[in-house]
Amino acid sequence: MSTPTPRVRMPATAKAGEVIEVKTLISHEMETGQRKDSSGQTVPRRIIKKFVATFNGKEVLSADWHPAVAANPYQAFFVKVPETGTFEFSWFDDNGEIYKSAHKVTVG
Amino acid sequence: MAGKMKPRTRREFLGSSAAMAAAVAIGPSAALAKPDDVVAEIKKLFGDKPLTAGRIKLDLPTIAENGLVVPLNFEVQSPMTDNDYVKAVHFWADGNPNPQVASFNFTPMAPKAAAQIRIRLAQTQNIVAVAEMSDGKLFTAKQEVKVTIGGCGG
């Protein structure tokens, strides 16, 4: 599997207190652990099990994902921008790796 | 799954053969969840606390052609203030190999208890949502999604 690449779409500027939509996607096969390969061996489970969104280090929301989440998991949600700061998004892989993406939003 | 042998209409036959194809794809080792499993999961998290229908707006297709990618949108009515907010929203599917789908944990920093994801469904089944409020109250919603091609196995 190629290295999972997170992609995030959100505005770079906002008004103070504005609610903005964040759209995130990460390329990942989300292997369920149910599938068998051509030789009949069960393909081991490897999914992204957790997603966390923070603003200036404080958690805004998180999500626990199970194998029922589709491949290349997409998640859209809403955040409020109280002041200029940085949103950070983290995806936690079953194999222990964490993929991160940081986005600064300027209030002005 | 095969059912009793009785004369069936073409539509029933097509429906059940699609379900069988999905079951075969998953393989005999992976039994599918049943509605009781979802009830048991909810009990595990919340005990015997009462569930009230409402407050959750589920936006799911009534018919999903491809069970591999089924869009799931939801929003829970809440002011999302420090004293009154949605703590978590959990989703289960009662006909997948594993009934758990996803859980979302919100904080008062989130302006809306809403999100969009895409899920996999092995067959036609119900999606059950339970929202846990900051005061401990529980709300629930349920919707059936008919699946033409199952989203498991390979």
Side-chain angles (χ1 to χ4, degrees):
Chain A
M1 188 167 102
S2 54
T3 314
T5 314
R7 274 183 281 165
V8 175
R9 189 174 290 179
M10 64 187 297
T13 58
K15 294 195 274 284
E18 193 181 339
V19 172
I20 57 174
E21 189 177 19
V22 181
K23 292 177 177 172
T24 69
L25 185 91
I26 186 162
S27 56
H28 195 286
E29 280 163 22
M30 297 294 276
E31 189 61 63
T32 60
Q34 305 279 350
R35 218 161 56 92
K36 293 202 167 57
D37 64 15
S38 49
S39 60
Q41 296 285 313
T42 302
V43 182
R45 178 187 129 144
R46 182 181 164 194
I47 68 164
I48 290 186
K49 57 187 173 194
K50 197 171 178 67
F51 169 85
V52 178
T54 62
F55 178 70
N56 288 345
K58 268 186 82 177
E59 184 173 313
V60 179
L61 69 93
S62 69
D64 299 301
W65 292 344
H66 296 278
V69 171
N72 301 322
Y74 166 83
Q75 182 166 316
F77 52 93
F78 298 91
V79 295
K80 201 160 45 188
V81 188
E83 71 226 352
T84 296
T86 304
F87 286 95
E88 193 175 60
F89 310 106
S90 311
W91 290 260
F92 295 78
D93 196 311
D94 266 344
N95 71 2
E97 278 185 70
I98 302 168
Y99 317 105
K100 285 178 185 279
S101 179
H103 294 261
K104 192 178 173 195
V105 179
T106 308
V107 168
Chain B
M1 184 91 48
K4 279 185 250 124
M5 292 305 284
K6 57 169 181 158
R8 289 196 283 186
T9 64
R10 181 172 172 273
R11 180 166 302 184
E12 275 172 0
F13 174 75
L14 287 177
S16 66
S17 56
M20 264 198 258
V24 167
I26 290 154
S29 60
L32 296 174
K34 295 180 291 296
D36 284 357
D37 295 340
V38 172
V39 173
E41 291 280 336
I42 293 173
K43 235 190 182 128
K44 218 157 68 185
L45 273 184
F46 303 114
D48 288 321
K49 272 205 201 162
L51 296 162
T52 315
R55 299 267 294 253
I56 307 171
K57 210 180 106 208
L58 276 182
D59 185 3
L60 277 156
T62 40
I63 298 175
E65 285 199 4
N66 180 2
L68 275 170
V69 186
V70 181
L72 162 63
N73 300 354
F74 70 91
E75 181 164 359
V76 184
Q77 282 172 23
S78 164
M80 295 305 278
T81 59
D82 286 348
N83 303 319
D84 185 2
Y85 63 97
V86 179
K87 252 169 79 177
V89 187
H90 307 273
F91 292 90
W92 291 277
D94 65 14
N96 268 359
N98 180 341
Q100 287 154 317
V101 174
S103 297
F104 298 84
N105 307 299
F106 292 97
T107 68
M109 300 252 302
K112 287 190 207 182
Q116 286 182 33
I117 56 166
R118 291 168 187 160
I119 62 172
R120 290 195 263 236
L121 298 175
Q123 58 174 6
T124 296
Q125 56 186 294
N126 292 306
I127 306 300
V128 181
V130 172
E132 189 185 356
M133 304 296 169
S134 53
D135 62 5
K137 285 206 180 85
L138 301 175
F139 291 90
T140 186
K142 184 161 125 175
Q143 193 190 316
E144 189 192 46
V145 180
K146 289 200 188 331
V147 176
T148 319
I149 305 168
C152 285

